[in-house]
Amino acid sequence: MASSRLPPWAYAAVVVVCGLGTFALVGHFLGLFRSPAPVARAPGPDRLRLPSPIDPNGLPPHRAAKYAAARAALVPAFEAAFDGPARIHDTVLWAVEDYALFLAHPHPPDALVAHCREALRRAVVDGSKDPFVTFAEWRVGAEAGADTPGEAGFRFAEALGRTKYPAAYRLEAHLDAVDRSADLLERSPAERVAAAAQARDALWAAFAEAARDPSPAAEALLLATARELVGRDAPVCGTPEENYTRAVAALTAAGAREHVRLALDGFHAARAGRAGTGPAARAALERARAAFQRAWEREPACPAAPTELIAVTAGLGLGADEARRWFARAVEADPDNPRAWAALADAVGPDRGGTVPDALAVARSCRERGAWDAGVPAAAAVAFEIARRHRPNFLTTADGWAEVQTFFDAWLAARPADWHARTLYARLATDAERYEIAVPLFEALKNRPRPGVFAGPDEFAAAAAQAYRGVEKTLGGAALPSPYPGYSKLGEPERRTAARAARREWFARTYRDSFGAAYPADGPGRAEGLAALNAVADAEAPGFLSGGVADAAWGALERAVAAGCDDPLVATLHARFGAATGLGAGGGDKLRKAAARLAASRYPVAVRLPAALDITDPTAGGSADRLADLWPLFTSAAADSEPVARQELLRAADRLLVALPAGRSADGERLSAALAAGGDAYGSLVVSAAVLITAGWEEAAGPRRADAPRLRDARALLERAWRLAPERPEAPTRMLAVATGLREPRSVTERWFMRAGAANPDNYEALRWLVRYRVSAGDGDEGGWERLALRQIAHSMGRWEGGFGLLAFEIDLNVLETRHRGLLNNPQFWSQMEEVLQTWTQADPACRYAKTVYAQMAARAGQHVLANRLFRQLAGRPWPGVFTSPEAYREAAERSRRAAGGVQFD
């Protein structure tokens, strides 16, 4: 009868690990044979041997036998093939021996994987051209999660196939080139067959040669190959029927031992039984049972037949006891046998007459056995999937999730960086809506899931996006246990509200009191002027000028001017907001004339200083020759100890530093001295550091890279500043620029990010620098995942008026340009980008900035109906700076109007 089948990913979770057991099986047989032959050592190796994290002398007996067997086969073959310089002989030999130790573990510990990868890398870097060493480096890299294309594995396997290494190892190389390649496992069966065509001839040639080898090692590889080519519904080469015919011919011609030929018949019949229905399917399973049982009787030490009989007897309905009997024989033949554990979980489950608790009991036994290096725990994935299929709410119930969480907590406690555990756990946690657990796992995977767990990169990306969207809903922004410790500080609404209230109160009081004292009580437009200054305070509160509040402030200023208010503060703000929003002709001479009046007035220095900058800013047409007039103003402003006043003072200092012409760094030091003279030692240190950062980044971009002296000097100044006033945000925020330039460790950078967020919950600049750091640090963001993780944090904060929505969009845009070549024809990516833009416009319906960006990107994506609607809402008033020119804006609007069949754009 046809058996109920698990979804492909559940099998793949075990198959990926079981493939690692190929050489475990080989070693089991080779352990019956000789010890390695003595090897002639070359004199004077260039390097010392890397200490292994696992002592070969301390291995359990069955793994010690596997290690000895692999070493006995590989070392003589290496010595016979070695033709490199004598100085690298030992380095390469050590790498081969380390690889033999790697092969002794079906699921090698992370430390061993890293050690073996480094040993093989050193051998290749030192000049080894040995095809086996080259393939082994690729193979271990694939186990470590490296982004290695399958085509490279094929090339290395083909090169190895032309050598005189034992046929068993050449055959294993071709299988691994397919089974360890994420880009192949993520394709459809038809695509996998086409992609593997180049390996087909070489694989069958190695198969035929290995069939003539009477050693147990070759037999083990033949059985593993037969299972892949004949026992799977969609093998990597040919069809199961074609492969069966070809394999029978090869084994017959070579006179292979009977148990190998019987096992091949069993694989063929078992597949037919699984695929069929009714009496024909049952007859096929009976044939498989007979073939496997005869194979076991001929060779009880071979684990292949009893392992397959667990599933076959269960499919025939012979009961859990029969399945457990064959399970015991399978693990006796090979104690490291994850395939047997997975088959047992299915055999005792409800699909075979058992129960869900019986299947989960197998998962608990896997955990209690704790054979993490054998890959046994991966079999628990089958038990969990059985439970989910028969109990749809399994993952969302307290008891069900406790089973899963207890299991993975134990696995990750034993192997904290286990790639397979993280991938499986991330998937299950997302499906269980345990997003607070899933997000750190996705972050740790760095866009590189273990092949076979997710259906492909699209499913992985969708699951990760679901987790990041869900974490905010789950936790309400309270606390996210992720690698971004500053997130909780940036996300505290009470602190953010208090900080904004303090900023608004300072602006309102400063403007209101100074305007009330300077402007005549009976002056025209006085009431309108006061209302306008209150609106300006509202716009300034978030520290980021955008949205409907900016337009409202300009409208209030426009009404005050229309009412006859000719106050220099109102006139300057009217010109400044007109330029910033694009609603008025406020730039150039108009702004400088109004600012000159304000700078010469009796308004307090906190109001006159920005006006003086308007006059001297050379980037806005001002005169840098008047810089000397600024130093007394900065000194006077520094005497004000109010927190918001000092924050605005450093904003003004930043503006001046950006505007300084090249070669005027001495003016930066004069600015620092001016702040020190006014009593702001903290601000003085921050300004001095800012001057060094500008020069230091030029060093960091050159050949000196991380050894940029000015950045290191800036780091020392900022550390002093932070100790003076840890409650202020400027020093830790600028420290993120230093950390990015110096490529500081991630932990250091995130510590400063936490401090910056704690000091200012609206610290848009700190999150922007963290994005830049994570992209430039080179820690695994080739696919853009690090940026998208930070983008989700920015998006989940929901502070569109504070610039975080804009930052989320900018990250999407950066990924679009670098990963998708600027094309928005990927519906999934457009959906992701539109999520930010749509939420931004919904959160602030009056924000022309959001609508302008949304319209621009919709037009680029070919979403012309949407773009046309947005262009009509803008009515010819886009936010400045989004489009390159007014002409570019009008052309985009007209193209969308025509494509959408809309009315004439006005």
Side-chain angles (χ1 to χ4, degrees):
M1 71 183 72
S3 62
S4 177
R5 301 199 63 199
L6 297 173
W9 79 265
Y11 284 112
V14 178
V15 169
V16 169
V17 172
C18 293
L20 284 169
T22 298
F23 261 111
L25 188 59
V26 176
H28 178 77
F29 284 108
L30 282 175
L32 303 174
F33 291 97
R34 61 193 181 283
S35 298
V39 177
R41 298 284 179 172
D46 268 3
R47 298 176 181 267
L48 296 176
R49 185 165 191 173
L50 296 170
S52 173
I54 292 180
D55 181 5
N57 297 320
L59 292 172
H62 65 285
R63 290 189 193 155
K66 297 172 187 177
Y67 169 62
R71 189 168 176 271
L74 290 174
V75 170
F78 160 74
E79 293 292 352
F82 182 75
D83 62 355
R87 65 178 178 78
I88 71 168
H89 173 276
D90 281 13
T91 301
V92 184
L93 174 62
W94 294 334
V96 173
E97 292 178 334
D98 286 335
Y99 187 60
L101 184 60
F102 171 88
L103 295 175
H105 296 77
H107 191 53
D110 298 316
L112 179 59
V113 173
H115 164 77
C116 190
R117 189 180 185 192
E118 176 61 18
L120 289 161
R121 187 195 66 81
R122 292 206 312 176
V124 172
V125 169
D126 283 354
S128 173
K129 305 298 182 184
D130 189 305
F132 183 80
V133 173
T134 304
F135 172 80
E137 186 200 19
W138 174 87
R139 168 69 178 79
V140 176
E143 174 66 19
D147 191 10
T148 52
E151 287 73 10
F154 288 144
R155 290 197 305 272
F156 299 150
E158 287 170 358
L160 178 58
R162 294 189 291 271
T163 70
K164 294 184 179 180
Y165 272 89
Y169 290 87
R170 304 201 308 271
L171 183 59
E172 191 268 353
H174 288 296
L175 287 177
D176 269 340
V178 174
D179 283 343
R180 304 293 167 215
S181 301
D183 56 341
L184 289 182
L185 287 175
E186 291 161 356
R187 299 180 189 181
S188 67
E191 290 176 321
R192 288 174 57 203
V193 170
Q198 58 182 304
R200 185 177 306 162
D201 292 341
L203 185 148
W204 281 113
F207 185 93
E209 185 177 345
R212 296 192 294 272
D213 185 344
S215 71
E219 290 180 350
L221 258 298
L222 288 171
L223 290 170
T225 307
R227 185 187 302 113
E228 166 62 41
L229 299 181
V230 177
R232 285 192 185 182
D233 293 333
V236 295
C237 293
T239 67
E241 293 298 332
E242 294 170 347
N243 292 339
Y244 175 67
T245 301
R246 195 165 183 174
V248 167
L251 295 180
T252 302
R257 292 174 67 193
E258 186 178 6
H259 80 278
V260 176
R261 287 180 282 146
L262 286 169
L264 176 66
D265 293 340
F267 291 135
H268 180 248
R271 188 201 62 79
R274 290 194 305 269
T277 58
R282 184 174 184 85
L285 289 177
E286 289 285 7
R287 293 196 302 274
R289 179 192 178 200
F292 282 131
Q293 186 156 349
R294 289 174 58 200
W296 175 75
E297 291 168 353
R298 301 299 188 278
E299 182 52 85
C302 175
T307 300
E308 298 301 321
L309 278 167
I310 301 169
V312 170
T313 56
L316 288 169
L318 299 183
D321 289 343
E322 182 72 4
R324 289 190 176 96
R325 184 178 302 112
W326 287 111
F327 169 79
R329 291 166 176 169
V331 296
E332 180 183 5
D334 179 13
D336 292 340
N337 195 338
R339 190 184 299 275
W341 285 87
L344 181 63
D346 184 47
V348 302
D351 294 324
R352 313 299 183 189
T355 65
V356 168
D358 289 338
L360 292 175
V362 176
R364 285 192 290 274
S365 296
C366 291
R367 185 188 77 234
E368 292 163 1
R369 188 170 185 269
W372 314 108
D373 298 344
V376 169
V382 175
F384 295 146
E385 185 58 31
I386 291 170
R388 294 179 65 186
R389 190 170 65 250
H390 290 273
R391 295 179 181 175
N393 63 342
F394 170 71
L395 288 178
T396 56
T397 63
D399 291 344
W401 179 248
E403 288 276 1
V404 174
Q405 187 171 27
T406 302
F407 179 85
F408 280 99
D409 284 350
W411 191 350
L412 289 172
R415 297 181 55 157
D418 193 291
W419 182 36
H420 198 182
R422 284 173 171 173
T423 308
L424 282 171
Y425 200 12
R427 181 187 181 103
L428 291 170
T430 301
D431 291 345
E433 299 181 358
R434 302 282 178 162
Y435 301 125
E436 73 281 7
I437 294 174
V439 165
L441 292 164
F442 281 117
E443 172 64 23
L445 288 171
K446 298 179 187 251
N447 205 23
R448 291 177 181 173
R450 177 119 186 188
V453 176
F454 290 90
D458 289 345
E459 184 178 86
F460 174 79
Q466 176 187 340
Y468 275 95
R469 284 194 302 268
V471 75
E472 182 69 15
K473 296 177 183 177
T474 302
L475 299 180
L480 176 63
S482 79
Y484 302 99
Y487 175 90
S488 60
K489 296 297 182 183
L490 289 168
E492 291 176 357
E494 295 82 6
R495 295 179 61 258
R496 182 176 74 248
T497 300
R500 289 188 182 181
R503 282 182 55 80
R504 192 206 176 281
E505 194 278 332
W506 182 85
F507 275 101
R509 173 169 42 83
T510 301
Y511 286 162
R512 180 185 63 245
D513 292 351
S514 56
F515 176 82
Y519 198 68
D522 57 352
R526 178 182 173 88
E528 291 81 356
L530 285 170
L533 294 176
N534 276 320
V536 169
D538 291 337
E540 294 282 9
F544 184 87
L545 193 64
S546 73
V549 289
D551 285 359
W554 183 84
L557 290 163
E558 179 82 347
R559 289 190 292 275
V561 171
C565 181
D566 62 349
D567 177 79
L569 173 58
V570 171
T572 301
L573 291 173
H574 179 249
R576 195 179 293 156
F577 272 76
T581 61
L583 295 176
D589 289 342
K590 181 178 180 180
L591 175 58
R592 284 190 295 277
K593 288 178 181 178
R597 289 177 56 208
L598 180 58
S601 72
R602 294 185 178 181
Y603 268 94
V605 66
V607 176
R608 288 186 289 122
L609 180 55
L613 287 172
D614 290 332
I615 301 170
T616 58
D617 186 350
T619 64
S623 173
D625 295 334
R626 300 184 60 178
L627 285 176
D629 297 340
L630 294 175
W631 312 138
L633 291 176
F634 273 102
T635 298
S636 298
D640 188 343
S641 61
E642 190 166 0
V644 177
R646 288 201 160 172
Q647 188 179 56
E648 289 304 302
L649 176 63
L650 284 182
R651 282 174 175 260
D654 276 346
R655 181 180 168 191
L656 176 59
L657 291 173
V658 170
L660 283 175
R664 297 292 291 271
S665 60
D667 288 322
E669 289 306 318
R670 294 188 183 96
L671 173 58
S672 176
L675 296 180
D680 189 359
Y682 172 95
S684 175
L685 290 169
V686 169
V687 167
S688 293
V691 174
L692 291 171
I693 289 171
T694 301
W697 261 83
E698 296 176 0
E699 291 178 336
R704 304 185 71 163
R705 296 189 178 275
D707 185 27
R710 288 184 177 85
L711 285 180
R712 286 188 275 108
D713 292 344
R715 180 175 59 192
L717 292 174
L718 291 173
E719 286 177 348
R720 288 173 55 196
W722 180 76
R723 290 191 184 96
L724 283 175
E727 75 282 358
R728 297 183 64 175
E730 296 86 2
T733 301
R734 283 155 182 76
M735 191 66 89
L736 294 171
V738 173
T740 303
L742 291 177
R743 281 76 162 175
E744 294 274 24
R746 177 169 171 169
S747 60
V748 172
T749 305
E750 289 181 345
R751 183 165 63 248
W752 287 110
F753 175 62
M754 178 179 67
R755 292 167 176 169
N760 177 13
D762 265 329
N763 204 329
Y764 160 83
E765 185 183 357
L767 189 56
R768 179 186 285 276
W769 269 113
L770 184 59
V771 171
R772 186 167 181 177
Y773 167 80
R774 295 303 301 277
V775 173
S776 65
D779 59 349
D781 197 35
E782 293 86 347
W785 183 247
E786 298 286 3
R787 284 166 284 176
L788 293 180
L790 287 162
R791 167 260 192 201
Q792 193 61 30
I793 288 178
H795 175 261
S796 65
M797 287 175 182
R799 297 207 293 281
W800 313 99
E801 75 289 348
F804 288 85
L806 175 63
L807 178 57
F809 161 73
E810 288 174 346
I811 297 172
D812 275 343
L813 189 60
N814 178 266
V815 174
L816 173 69
E817 298 294 344
T818 58
R819 189 180 181 188
H820 299 282
R821 301 184 301 280
L823 301 176
L824 271 173
N825 55 1
N826 182 326
Q828 183 180 358
F829 192 81
W830 166 245
S831 176
Q832 172 185 296
M833 178 176 283
E834 187 181 26
E835 178 191 24
V836 172
L837 298 172
Q838 193 174 62
T839 309
W840 188 5
T841 53
Q842 290 172 350
D844 192 355
C847 182
R848 287 182 301 111
Y849 199 165
K851 289 180 181 177
T852 306
V853 172
Y854 197 177
Q856 183 189 53
M857 301 313 298
R860 283 183 59 179
Q863 304 289 327
H864 292 296
V865 173
L866 170 62
N868 184 53
R869 185 176 74 246
L870 292 165
F871 280 126
R872 292 178 63 189
Q873 290 175 11
L874 288 169
R877 299 191 307 167
W879 190 268
V882 177
F883 287 88
T884 56
S885 66
E887 292 76 17
Y889 168 78
R890 286 193 290 269
E891 289 173 4
E894 180 62 17
R895 281 195 303 271
S896 291
R897 184 196 67 80
R898 291 177 178 174
V903 299
Q904 177 66 39
F905 177 74
D906 185 5

